[in-house]
Amino acid sequence: PIRVQFKTVCELLDISRESLRHIVRTDASFPRPIKAGDTKQAPVYFDYAQLVEWHNKQMQSLTVMEA
């Protein structure tokens, strides 16, 4: 799997870090973060394929609501 850094996910979705944290906390369908280590400062990644799948589902739900 391709891992994407937290910062890169923010850039891909064009949202702030706090907005991404909010989505992770409140949207159960959003991919879970992958922490690379046990320390508090270990980097956090997301699986790229899961992000694309989530985004496509979001776009489909918007299309259904508009129709």
Side-chain angles (χ1 to χ4, degrees):
I2 298 174
R3 296 186 314 176
V4 183
Q5 291 181 344
F6 197 93
K7 175 183 170 185
T8 307
V9 174
C10 292
E11 292 170 2
L12 287 171
L13 298 176
D14 195 24
I15 58 176
S16 69
R17 293 179 69 83
E18 190 54 42
S19 294
L20 181 55
R21 285 188 192 101
H22 178 74
I23 292 170
V24 169
R25 283 192 309 266
T26 60
D27 186 350
S29 67
F30 193 79
R32 296 295 98 195
I34 303 163
K35 192 157 177 128
D38 296 330
T39 64
K40 186 175 181 179
Q41 293 149 344
V44 174
Y45 298 96
F46 292 88
D47 180 74
Y48 181 75
Q50 291 177 353
L51 285 170
V52 170
E53 182 181 333
W54 175 82
H55 183 263
N56 289 337
K57 286 180 183 176
Q58 295 296 312
M59 295 306 292
Q60 286 175 350
S61 66
L62 286 175
T63 305
V64 168
M65 288 193 311
E66 290 175 357

